[in-house]
Short mmCIF file of all heavy atoms in Angstrom, two decimals:
data_model
loop_
_atom_site.label_atom_id
_atom_site.label_comp_id
_atom_site.label_asym_id
_atom_site.label_seq_id
_atom_site.Cartn_x
_atom_site.Cartn_y
_atom_site.Cartn_z
N MET A 1 11.39 -10.96 -8.51
CA MET A 1 11.28 -9.84 -9.43
C MET A 1 11.61 -8.52 -8.76
O MET A 1 12.55 -7.88 -9.24
CB MET A 1 9.73 -9.81 -9.75
CG MET A 1 9.50 -8.79 -10.82
SD MET A 1 7.83 -9.06 -11.56
CE MET A 1 7.18 -7.54 -11.40
N PHE A 2 11.06 -8.10 -7.59
CA PHE A 2 11.45 -6.91 -6.91
C PHE A 2 12.20 -7.33 -5.66
O PHE A 2 11.87 -8.37 -5.01
CB PHE A 2 10.38 -6.00 -6.62
CG PHE A 2 9.45 -5.46 -7.72
CD1 PHE A 2 8.26 -5.91 -8.03
CD2 PHE A 2 10.20 -4.57 -8.47
CE1 PHE A 2 7.54 -5.34 -9.09
CE2 PHE A 2 9.47 -4.01 -9.62
CZ PHE A 2 8.15 -4.40 -9.89
N GLU A 3 13.09 -6.51 -5.19
CA GLU A 3 13.68 -6.80 -3.91
C GLU A 3 12.70 -6.26 -2.75
O GLU A 3 12.34 -5.12 -2.80
CB GLU A 3 15.00 -5.95 -3.81
CG GLU A 3 15.90 -6.25 -2.54
CD GLU A 3 17.21 -5.56 -2.73
OE1 GLU A 3 17.72 -5.67 -3.78
OE2 GLU A 3 17.57 -4.97 -1.69
N THR A 4 12.36 -7.13 -1.90
CA THR A 4 11.48 -6.78 -0.79
C THR A 4 12.03 -5.77 0.11
O THR A 4 13.19 -6.05 0.54
CB THR A 4 11.02 -8.14 -0.09
OG1 THR A 4 10.59 -9.16 -0.98
CG2 THR A 4 9.96 -7.83 0.94
N ASN A 5 11.28 -4.68 0.29
CA ASN A 5 11.83 -3.69 1.21
C ASN A 5 10.90 -3.21 2.33
O ASN A 5 11.07 -2.10 2.88
CB ASN A 5 12.35 -2.41 0.34
CG ASN A 5 11.30 -1.85 -0.48
OD1 ASN A 5 10.16 -2.21 -0.47
ND2 ASN A 5 11.64 -0.84 -1.19
N VAL A 6 9.74 -3.95 2.43
CA VAL A 6 8.82 -3.62 3.44
C VAL A 6 8.56 -4.76 4.40
O VAL A 6 8.43 -5.90 4.03
CB VAL A 6 7.39 -3.35 2.70
CG1 VAL A 6 6.28 -3.02 3.74
CG2 VAL A 6 7.50 -2.28 1.68
N GLY A 7 8.77 -4.43 5.66
CA GLY A 7 8.68 -5.40 6.80
C GLY A 7 7.32 -5.89 7.09
O GLY A 7 6.27 -5.37 6.50
N LEU A 8 7.25 -6.77 7.92
CA LEU A 8 5.94 -7.55 8.16
C LEU A 8 4.85 -6.54 8.74
O LEU A 8 3.80 -6.52 8.24
CB LEU A 8 6.22 -8.81 9.02
CG LEU A 8 4.86 -9.49 9.38
CD1 LEU A 8 4.23 -10.13 8.13
CD2 LEU A 8 5.20 -10.59 10.49
N LEU A 9 5.28 -5.84 9.77
CA LEU A 9 4.31 -4.92 10.48
C LEU A 9 3.90 -3.85 9.53
O LEU A 9 2.73 -3.51 9.38
CB LEU A 9 4.91 -4.30 11.67
CG LEU A 9 4.04 -3.39 12.50
CD1 LEU A 9 2.87 -4.18 12.91
CD2 LEU A 9 4.78 -2.79 13.60
N ASP A 10 4.85 -3.32 8.71
CA ASP A 10 4.61 -2.29 7.66
C ASP A 10 3.55 -2.78 6.70
O ASP A 10 2.60 -2.15 6.21
CB ASP A 10 5.85 -1.85 7.12
CG ASP A 10 5.83 -0.58 6.34
OD1 ASP A 10 4.66 0.01 6.26
OD2 ASP A 10 6.83 -0.12 5.64
N ARG A 11 3.79 -4.15 6.26
CA ARG A 11 2.90 -4.63 5.28
C ARG A 11 1.42 -4.85 5.76
O ARG A 11 0.47 -4.52 5.12
CB ARG A 11 3.41 -6.07 4.94
CG ARG A 11 4.75 -6.03 4.07
CD ARG A 11 5.27 -7.38 3.69
NE ARG A 11 4.45 -7.94 2.69
CZ ARG A 11 4.81 -9.03 2.05
NH1 ARG A 11 5.86 -9.61 2.34
NH2 ARG A 11 4.02 -9.49 0.95
N ILE A 12 1.40 -5.38 6.99
CA ILE A 12 0.05 -5.48 7.71
C ILE A 12 -0.76 -4.21 7.68
O ILE A 12 -1.88 -4.15 7.39
CB ILE A 12 0.18 -6.14 8.97
CG1 ILE A 12 0.61 -7.60 8.84
CG2 ILE A 12 -1.13 -6.06 9.83
CD1 ILE A 12 1.07 -8.22 10.12
N VAL A 13 0.01 -3.14 8.20
CA VAL A 13 -0.63 -1.83 8.20
C VAL A 13 -1.10 -1.24 7.00
O VAL A 13 -2.13 -0.72 6.74
CB VAL A 13 0.30 -0.80 8.99
CG1 VAL A 13 -0.21 0.53 8.95
CG2 VAL A 13 0.50 -1.22 10.40
N ARG A 14 -0.21 -1.45 5.91
CA ARG A 14 -0.52 -1.02 4.57
C ARG A 14 -1.78 -1.66 4.01
O ARG A 14 -2.61 -1.00 3.43
CB ARG A 14 0.67 -1.20 3.66
CG ARG A 14 1.79 -0.27 3.87
CD ARG A 14 3.02 -0.76 3.04
NE ARG A 14 4.20 0.11 3.24
CZ ARG A 14 4.59 1.00 2.46
NH1 ARG A 14 4.02 1.11 1.28
NH2 ARG A 14 5.61 1.65 2.74
N VAL A 15 -1.87 -2.87 4.20
CA VAL A 15 -2.96 -3.74 3.67
C VAL A 15 -4.27 -3.23 4.33
O VAL A 15 -5.26 -3.09 3.73
CB VAL A 15 -2.75 -5.30 3.73
CG1 VAL A 15 -4.05 -5.98 3.41
CG2 VAL A 15 -1.67 -5.66 2.80
N ILE A 16 -4.20 -3.16 5.67
CA ILE A 16 -5.45 -2.74 6.43
C ILE A 16 -5.82 -1.31 6.01
O ILE A 16 -7.06 -1.07 5.81
CB ILE A 16 -5.11 -2.91 7.86
CG1 ILE A 16 -5.09 -4.38 8.33
CG2 ILE A 16 -6.32 -2.20 8.74
CD1 ILE A 16 -4.68 -4.57 9.85
N VAL A 17 -4.91 -0.42 6.02
CA VAL A 17 -5.31 0.96 5.64
C VAL A 17 -5.74 1.05 4.20
O VAL A 17 -6.85 1.73 3.91
CB VAL A 17 -3.97 1.92 5.82
CG1 VAL A 17 -4.36 3.25 5.14
CG2 VAL A 17 -3.78 2.01 7.31
N GLY A 18 -5.16 0.27 3.29
CA GLY A 18 -5.62 0.32 1.95
C GLY A 18 -7.03 -0.21 1.77
O GLY A 18 -7.80 0.38 0.98
N LEU A 19 -7.32 -1.35 2.46
CA LEU A 19 -8.61 -1.94 2.30
C LEU A 19 -9.68 -1.00 3.00
O LEU A 19 -10.81 -1.01 2.42
CB LEU A 19 -8.67 -3.30 2.88
CG LEU A 19 -7.85 -4.42 2.25
CD1 LEU A 19 -7.85 -5.68 2.86
CD2 LEU A 19 -8.31 -4.47 0.70
N ALA A 20 -9.30 -0.40 4.09
CA ALA A 20 -10.23 0.54 4.75
C ALA A 20 -10.49 1.78 3.80
O ALA A 20 -11.76 2.06 3.73
CB ALA A 20 -9.64 1.05 6.08
N LEU A 21 -9.60 2.22 3.07
CA LEU A 21 -9.83 3.33 2.15
C LEU A 21 -10.69 2.82 1.01
O LEU A 21 -11.66 3.52 0.67
CB LEU A 21 -8.50 3.93 1.61
CG LEU A 21 -7.70 4.79 2.55
CD1 LEU A 21 -6.39 5.02 2.01
CD2 LEU A 21 -8.46 6.08 2.92
N ILE A 22 -10.43 1.75 0.44
CA ILE A 22 -11.19 1.22 -0.61
C ILE A 22 -12.65 0.98 -0.21
O ILE A 22 -13.50 1.24 -0.91
CB ILE A 22 -10.51 0.03 -1.22
CG1 ILE A 22 -9.22 0.27 -1.88
CG2 ILE A 22 -11.56 -0.81 -2.24
CD1 ILE A 22 -8.51 -0.92 -2.25
N SER A 23 -12.82 0.53 0.98
CA SER A 23 -14.24 0.24 1.46
C SER A 23 -15.06 1.58 1.54
O SER A 23 -16.30 1.54 1.37
CB SER A 23 -14.22 -0.41 2.87
OG SER A 23 -13.81 0.51 3.81
N GLY A 24 -14.39 2.71 1.65
CA GLY A 24 -15.11 4.03 1.71
C GLY A 24 -15.86 4.23 0.37
O GLY A 24 -16.89 4.93 0.37
N PHE A 25 -15.43 3.63 -0.73
CA PHE A 25 -16.15 3.75 -2.02
C PHE A 25 -17.45 3.29 -1.92
O PHE A 25 -18.41 3.92 -2.53
CB PHE A 25 -15.37 2.93 -3.03
CG PHE A 25 -15.94 3.07 -4.41
CD1 PHE A 25 -15.62 4.10 -5.20
CD2 PHE A 25 -16.83 2.00 -4.91
CE1 PHE A 25 -16.22 4.28 -6.53
CE2 PHE A 25 -17.30 2.11 -6.16
CZ PHE A 25 -17.03 3.25 -7.05
N TRP A 26 -17.77 2.20 -1.18
CA TRP A 26 -19.05 1.73 -0.98
C TRP A 26 -19.93 2.37 0.23
O TRP A 26 -21.10 2.40 0.20
CB TRP A 26 -19.12 0.23 -0.85
CG TRP A 26 -18.76 -0.43 -2.23
CD1 TRP A 26 -19.67 -0.66 -3.29
CD2 TRP A 26 -17.55 -0.78 -2.61
NE1 TRP A 26 -18.91 -1.20 -4.29
CE2 TRP A 26 -17.59 -1.32 -3.85
CE3 TRP A 26 -16.30 -0.98 -1.90
CZ2 TRP A 26 -16.49 -1.91 -4.70
CZ3 TRP A 26 -15.18 -1.52 -2.71
CH2 TRP A 26 -15.31 -1.97 -3.92
N LEU A 27 -19.09 2.82 1.15
CA LEU A 27 -19.69 3.40 2.45
C LEU A 27 -20.24 4.83 2.24
O LEU A 27 -21.07 5.28 2.94
CB LEU A 27 -18.71 3.31 3.53
CG LEU A 27 -18.45 1.92 4.03
CD1 LEU A 27 -17.30 1.97 5.05
CD2 LEU A 27 -19.63 1.18 4.62
N VAL A 28 -19.62 5.48 1.26
CA VAL A 28 -19.99 6.89 0.98
C VAL A 28 -20.37 7.12 -0.50
O VAL A 28 -19.68 7.69 -1.25
CB VAL A 28 -18.81 7.88 1.25
CG1 VAL A 28 -19.30 9.30 1.36
CG2 VAL A 28 -18.19 7.47 2.78
N PRO A 29 -21.52 6.40 -0.87
CA PRO A 29 -21.85 6.54 -2.34
C PRO A 29 -22.35 7.83 -2.85
O PRO A 29 -22.31 8.09 -4.07
CB PRO A 29 -22.94 5.40 -2.41
CG PRO A 29 -23.58 5.35 -1.04
CD PRO A 29 -22.45 5.64 -0.17
N GLU A 30 -22.65 8.84 -1.91
CA GLU A 30 -23.30 10.07 -2.41
C GLU A 30 -22.05 11.15 -2.60
O GLU A 30 -22.33 12.15 -3.12
CB GLU A 30 -24.24 10.56 -1.42
CG GLU A 30 -23.68 11.05 -0.08
CD GLU A 30 -23.55 9.80 0.89
OE1 GLU A 30 -23.89 8.69 0.53
OE2 GLU A 30 -22.94 10.03 1.94
N ALA A 31 -20.85 10.77 -2.31
CA ALA A 31 -19.75 11.66 -2.41
C ALA A 31 -19.31 11.85 -3.92
O ALA A 31 -19.18 10.81 -4.59
CB ALA A 31 -18.56 11.27 -1.58
N ALA A 32 -19.21 12.98 -4.31
CA ALA A 32 -18.86 13.36 -5.79
C ALA A 32 -17.29 12.83 -6.01
O ALA A 32 -16.90 12.55 -7.07
CB ALA A 32 -18.91 14.83 -6.05
N TRP A 33 -16.60 12.83 -4.88
CA TRP A 33 -15.08 12.49 -5.02
C TRP A 33 -14.86 11.03 -4.54
O TRP A 33 -13.74 10.68 -4.26
CB TRP A 33 -14.31 13.37 -4.09
CG TRP A 33 -14.85 13.68 -2.80
CD1 TRP A 33 -15.81 14.65 -2.51
CD2 TRP A 33 -14.78 12.84 -1.62
NE1 TRP A 33 -16.22 14.50 -1.15
CE2 TRP A 33 -15.56 13.37 -0.62
CE3 TRP A 33 -13.97 11.71 -1.33
CZ2 TRP A 33 -15.75 12.82 0.66
CZ3 TRP A 33 -14.12 11.12 0.01
CH2 TRP A 33 -14.91 11.64 0.91
N ARG A 34 -15.86 10.21 -4.61
CA ARG A 34 -15.70 8.77 -4.11
C ARG A 34 -14.62 8.05 -4.85
O ARG A 34 -14.14 7.04 -4.34
CB ARG A 34 -17.03 8.13 -3.97
CG ARG A 34 -17.57 7.62 -5.18
CD ARG A 34 -19.00 7.04 -5.00
NE ARG A 34 -18.95 5.84 -5.88
CZ ARG A 34 -19.87 4.89 -5.67
NH1 ARG A 34 -20.69 4.91 -4.75
NH2 ARG A 34 -19.87 3.88 -6.43
N TRP A 35 -14.41 8.44 -6.10
CA TRP A 35 -13.38 7.71 -6.86
C TRP A 35 -11.95 7.80 -6.12
O TRP A 35 -11.10 6.86 -6.24
CB TRP A 35 -13.14 8.37 -8.14
CG TRP A 35 -12.83 9.83 -8.04
CD1 TRP A 35 -13.70 10.86 -8.06
CD2 TRP A 35 -11.51 10.46 -7.89
NE1 TRP A 35 -13.01 12.06 -7.97
CE2 TRP A 35 -11.66 11.80 -7.83
CE3 TRP A 35 -10.24 9.86 -7.88
CZ2 TRP A 35 -10.58 12.67 -7.76
CZ3 TRP A 35 -9.20 10.71 -7.73
CH2 TRP A 35 -9.37 12.12 -7.67
N ALA A 36 -11.74 8.78 -5.34
CA ALA A 36 -10.51 9.04 -4.48
C ALA A 36 -10.33 7.90 -3.62
O ALA A 36 -9.06 7.55 -3.29
CB ALA A 36 -10.44 10.29 -3.80
N PHE A 37 -11.31 7.11 -3.10
CA PHE A 37 -11.19 6.03 -2.18
C PHE A 37 -10.28 4.88 -2.92
O PHE A 37 -9.64 4.14 -2.24
CB PHE A 37 -12.44 5.47 -1.66
CG PHE A 37 -13.07 6.39 -0.68
CD1 PHE A 37 -14.34 6.96 -1.02
CD2 PHE A 37 -12.61 6.59 0.50
CE1 PHE A 37 -15.00 7.73 -0.16
CE2 PHE A 37 -13.21 7.46 1.36
CZ PHE A 37 -14.39 7.96 1.08
N TRP A 38 -10.27 4.82 -4.14
CA TRP A 38 -9.45 3.81 -4.89
C TRP A 38 -8.02 4.01 -4.86
O TRP A 38 -7.19 3.14 -5.16
CB TRP A 38 -9.99 3.73 -6.31
CG TRP A 38 -11.22 2.93 -6.52
CD1 TRP A 38 -12.43 3.52 -6.73
CD2 TRP A 38 -11.51 1.61 -6.22
NE1 TRP A 38 -13.41 2.56 -6.69
CE2 TRP A 38 -12.82 1.34 -6.36
CE3 TRP A 38 -10.66 0.46 -5.90
CZ2 TRP A 38 -13.41 0.09 -6.27
CZ3 TRP A 38 -11.23 -0.70 -5.77
CH2 TRP A 38 -12.54 -0.91 -6.05
N LEU A 39 -7.61 5.23 -4.34
CA LEU A 39 -6.15 5.43 -4.08
C LEU A 39 -5.71 4.54 -3.05
O LEU A 39 -4.44 4.30 -2.74
CB LEU A 39 -6.01 6.86 -3.62
CG LEU A 39 -6.06 7.88 -4.76
CD1 LEU A 39 -6.01 9.33 -4.24
CD2 LEU A 39 -5.19 7.66 -5.88
N GLY A 40 -6.54 3.86 -2.20
CA GLY A 40 -6.24 2.89 -1.16
C GLY A 40 -5.57 1.65 -1.84
O GLY A 40 -4.98 0.91 -1.09
N ALA A 41 -5.81 1.51 -3.11
CA ALA A 41 -5.18 0.43 -3.83
C ALA A 41 -3.60 0.39 -3.69
O ALA A 41 -2.93 -0.57 -3.74
CB ALA A 41 -5.58 0.27 -5.28
N ILE A 42 -3.11 1.61 -3.63
CA ILE A 42 -1.61 1.76 -3.70
C ILE A 42 -1.06 1.20 -2.25
O ILE A 42 -0.24 0.35 -2.49
CB ILE A 42 -1.31 3.33 -3.82
CG1 ILE A 42 -1.67 3.86 -5.19
CG2 ILE A 42 0.28 3.52 -3.61
CD1 ILE A 42 -1.68 5.29 -5.36
N PRO A 43 -1.46 1.59 -1.23
CA PRO A 43 -0.86 1.00 0.01
C PRO A 43 -1.31 -0.53 0.07
O PRO A 43 -0.43 -1.31 0.60
CB PRO A 43 -1.37 1.70 1.20
CG PRO A 43 -2.52 2.46 0.72
CD PRO A 43 -2.30 2.69 -0.75
N ALA A 44 -2.44 -0.86 -0.36
CA ALA A 44 -2.79 -2.35 -0.30
C ALA A 44 -1.94 -3.19 -1.15
O ALA A 44 -1.58 -4.24 -0.73
CB ALA A 44 -4.30 -2.54 -0.71
N LEU A 45 -1.69 -2.70 -2.38
CA LEU A 45 -0.83 -3.51 -3.24
C LEU A 45 0.65 -3.55 -2.78
O LEU A 45 1.31 -4.57 -2.92
CB LEU A 45 -0.93 -2.88 -4.77
CG LEU A 45 -2.20 -3.25 -5.44
CD1 LEU A 45 -2.27 -2.58 -6.85
CD2 LEU A 45 -2.27 -4.71 -5.71
N SER A 46 1.05 -2.35 -2.34
CA SER A 46 2.51 -2.34 -1.84
C SER A 46 2.75 -3.22 -0.67
O SER A 46 3.71 -3.86 -0.44
CB SER A 46 2.97 -0.94 -1.59
OG SER A 46 2.44 -0.38 -0.51
N GLY A 47 1.68 -3.29 0.21
CA GLY A 47 1.71 -4.26 1.36
C GLY A 47 1.66 -5.70 0.97
O GLY A 47 2.35 -6.49 1.47
N ALA A 48 0.74 -6.02 0.02
CA ALA A 48 0.61 -7.24 -0.45
C ALA A 48 1.90 -7.83 -1.21
O ALA A 48 2.26 -8.96 -0.97
CB ALA A 48 -0.59 -7.49 -1.43
N LEU A 49 2.53 -6.94 -1.92
CA LEU A 49 3.73 -7.29 -2.65
C LEU A 49 4.93 -7.25 -1.91
O LEU A 49 5.93 -7.90 -2.25
CB LEU A 49 3.89 -6.47 -3.97
CG LEU A 49 2.72 -6.53 -4.94
CD1 LEU A 49 2.97 -5.52 -6.09
CD2 LEU A 49 2.75 -7.93 -5.52
N GLY A 50 4.96 -6.42 -0.76
CA GLY A 50 6.15 -6.30 0.07
C GLY A 50 7.27 -5.36 -0.55
O GLY A 50 8.37 -5.38 -0.16
N TRP A 51 6.83 -4.65 -1.54
CA TRP A 51 7.76 -3.72 -2.29
C TRP A 51 7.12 -2.35 -2.37
O TRP A 51 6.01 -2.23 -2.82
CB TRP A 51 8.07 -4.23 -3.62
CG TRP A 51 9.11 -3.46 -4.35
CD1 TRP A 51 10.43 -3.47 -4.11
CD2 TRP A 51 8.81 -2.60 -5.45
NE1 TRP A 51 11.04 -2.51 -5.02
CE2 TRP A 51 10.00 -1.99 -5.78
CE3 TRP A 51 7.63 -2.19 -6.10
CZ2 TRP A 51 10.12 -1.10 -6.83
CZ3 TRP A 51 7.78 -1.24 -7.15
CH2 TRP A 51 8.90 -0.73 -7.45
N CYS A 52 7.84 -1.38 -1.99
CA CYS A 52 7.34 0.07 -1.98
C CYS A 52 8.33 0.91 -2.92
O CYS A 52 9.56 1.00 -2.62
CB CYS A 52 7.35 0.65 -0.68
SG CYS A 52 6.86 2.46 -0.72
N PRO A 53 7.83 1.40 -4.00
CA PRO A 53 8.62 2.18 -4.90
C PRO A 53 9.35 3.43 -4.28
O PRO A 53 10.46 3.85 -4.50
CB PRO A 53 7.76 2.47 -6.08
CG PRO A 53 6.43 2.28 -5.71
CD PRO A 53 6.46 1.26 -4.53
N ALA A 54 8.53 4.00 -3.40
CA ALA A 54 9.08 5.31 -2.74
C ALA A 54 10.29 4.82 -1.81
O ALA A 54 11.24 5.62 -1.72
CB ALA A 54 7.93 5.91 -1.86
N TYR A 55 10.19 3.69 -1.01
CA TYR A 55 11.19 3.26 -0.27
C TYR A 55 12.42 3.03 -1.13
O TYR A 55 13.55 3.25 -0.78
CB TYR A 55 10.76 2.03 0.48
CG TYR A 55 10.03 2.19 1.80
CD1 TYR A 55 9.49 3.36 2.15
CD2 TYR A 55 9.75 1.05 2.54
CE1 TYR A 55 8.67 3.45 3.20
CE2 TYR A 55 9.05 1.19 3.64
CZ TYR A 55 8.49 2.40 4.07
OH TYR A 55 7.82 2.58 5.16
N ARG A 56 12.25 2.42 -2.28
CA ARG A 56 13.36 2.14 -3.29
C ARG A 56 14.01 3.38 -3.63
O ARG A 56 15.25 3.46 -3.68
CB ARG A 56 12.69 1.37 -4.48
CG ARG A 56 13.74 1.25 -5.54
CD ARG A 56 14.69 0.14 -5.25
NE ARG A 56 15.46 -0.27 -6.44
CZ ARG A 56 16.73 0.10 -6.56
NH1 ARG A 56 17.34 0.74 -5.74
NH2 ARG A 56 17.33 -0.29 -7.68
N LEU A 57 13.17 4.46 -3.94
CA LEU A 57 13.83 5.79 -4.41
C LEU A 57 14.70 6.37 -3.28
O LEU A 57 15.68 6.97 -3.43
CB LEU A 57 12.78 6.61 -4.88
CG LEU A 57 12.11 6.41 -6.23
CD1 LEU A 57 11.05 7.29 -6.54
CD2 LEU A 57 13.16 6.44 -7.27
N LEU A 58 14.17 6.29 -2.12
CA LEU A 58 14.81 6.83 -0.93
C LEU A 58 15.85 5.96 -0.27
O LEU A 58 16.60 6.33 0.59
CB LEU A 58 13.79 7.26 0.15
CG LEU A 58 12.82 8.30 -0.36
CD1 LEU A 58 11.68 8.44 0.70
CD2 LEU A 58 13.43 9.67 -0.63
N GLY A 59 15.98 4.74 -0.72
CA GLY A 59 16.92 3.82 -0.11
C GLY A 59 16.58 3.26 1.22
O GLY A 59 17.42 2.90 1.99
N TRP A 60 15.27 3.35 1.52
CA TRP A 60 14.76 2.85 2.91
C TRP A 60 14.45 1.48 2.87
O TRP A 60 14.07 0.81 1.78
CB TRP A 60 13.61 3.72 3.30
CG TRP A 60 13.88 5.08 3.61
CD1 TRP A 60 15.11 5.78 3.64
CD2 TRP A 60 12.90 6.09 3.85
NE1 TRP A 60 14.84 7.13 3.91
CE2 TRP A 60 13.55 7.29 4.00
CE3 TRP A 60 11.48 6.07 3.91
CZ2 TRP A 60 12.81 8.47 4.26
CZ3 TRP A 60 10.87 7.24 4.13
CH2 TRP A 60 11.53 8.40 4.38
N SER A 61 14.26 0.79 4.04
CA SER A 61 13.76 -0.56 4.12
C SER A 61 13.34 -0.75 5.49
O SER A 61 14.02 -0.29 6.49
CB SER A 61 14.90 -1.59 3.83
OG SER A 61 14.44 -2.92 3.94
N THR A 62 12.14 -1.44 5.71
CA THR A 62 11.69 -1.76 7.08
C THR A 62 11.84 -3.22 7.35
O THR A 62 11.40 -3.66 8.36
CB THR A 62 10.27 -1.29 7.19
OG1 THR A 62 9.39 -1.92 6.18
CG2 THR A 62 10.08 0.18 7.11
N ARG A 63 12.49 -3.88 6.42
CA ARG A 63 12.77 -5.36 6.71
C ARG A 63 13.88 -5.48 7.75
O ARG A 63 14.77 -4.68 7.77
CB ARG A 63 13.15 -6.05 5.45
CG ARG A 63 11.97 -6.15 4.54
CD ARG A 63 12.26 -7.25 3.50
NE ARG A 63 12.89 -8.45 4.08
CZ ARG A 63 12.58 -9.62 3.68
NH1 ARG A 63 11.69 -9.85 2.81
NH2 ARG A 63 13.27 -10.61 4.19
N ASP A 64 13.79 -6.40 8.62
CA ASP A 64 14.75 -6.87 9.63
C ASP A 64 16.17 -7.15 8.96
O ASP A 64 17.11 -6.86 9.59
CB ASP A 64 14.28 -7.81 10.48
CG ASP A 64 13.13 -7.35 11.40
OD1 ASP A 64 13.00 -6.20 11.62
OD2 ASP A 64 12.39 -8.26 11.84
N ASP A 65 16.12 -7.89 7.92
CA ASP A 65 17.31 -8.35 7.29
C ASP A 65 17.99 -7.35 6.31
O ASP A 65 18.86 -7.67 5.54
CB ASP A 65 17.14 -9.69 6.73
CG ASP A 65 16.11 -9.74 5.56
OD1 ASP A 65 15.41 -8.63 5.37
OD2 ASP A 65 15.93 -10.77 5.02
N GLY A 66 17.43 -6.17 6.22
CA GLY A 66 17.98 -5.18 5.34
C GLY A 66 17.48 -5.18 3.92
O GLY A 66 18.08 -4.65 3.03
N GLY A 67 16.42 -5.94 3.66
CA GLY A 67 15.75 -5.97 2.29
C GLY A 67 16.45 -7.00 1.46
O GLY A 67 16.43 -6.88 0.23
N ALA A 68 16.78 -8.15 2.03
CA ALA A 68 17.34 -9.26 1.16
C ALA A 68 16.07 -9.81 0.31
O ALA A 68 14.87 -9.62 0.67
CB ALA A 68 17.86 -10.38 2.03
N ARG A 69 16.43 -10.51 -0.68
CA ARG A 69 15.42 -11.01 -1.61
C ARG A 69 14.55 -12.06 -0.93
O ARG A 69 15.09 -12.88 -0.16
CB ARG A 69 16.09 -11.59 -2.87
CG ARG A 69 16.59 -10.59 -3.64
CD ARG A 69 17.19 -11.24 -5.01
NE ARG A 69 17.87 -10.17 -5.69
CZ ARG A 69 17.40 -9.61 -6.69
NH1 ARG A 69 16.18 -9.98 -7.13
NH2 ARG A 69 17.97 -8.76 -7.44
N ALA A 70 13.33 -12.03 -1.16
CA ALA A 70 12.44 -13.01 -0.57
C ALA A 70 12.42 -14.34 -1.39
O ALA A 70 12.75 -14.39 -2.43
CB ALA A 70 10.95 -12.49 -0.45
#
């Protein structure tokens, strides 16, 4: 469906950071802005899918093989 443009290490970091941000939703329940922790879904999903729309727009790729289809 999408051309993979995120390398393995980049994917791992994105998923970890995304899940850490999402966990803040439950760790800081008194914060009025706690909805903002759900923004962690963006890096988590891009890491899980291996495709980053920002990388696509900029023509970047962190894959070793130059972004070949998976």
Side-chain angles (χ1 to χ4, degrees):
M1 186 163 131
F2 294 114
E3 187 174 315
T4 305
N5 61 2
V6 180
L8 181 62
L9 180 61
D10 196 1
R11 291 177 77 168
I12 292 169
V13 170
R14 285 171 184 255
V15 170
I16 290 171
V17 168
L19 293 177
L21 285 170
I22 292 170
S23 70
F25 181 80
W26 290 280
L27 294 174
V28 189
E30 67 278 356
W33 45 268
R34 75 183 220 162
W35 58 268
F37 287 116
W38 284 105
L39 292 175
I42 296 169
L45 285 173
S46 68
L49 295 174
W51 183 76
C52 176
Y55 280 8
R56 172 74 169 106
L57 288 173
L58 296 171
W60 294 351
S61 177
T62 56
R63 287 198 42 141
D64 289 336
D65 59 356
R69 292 184 184 258

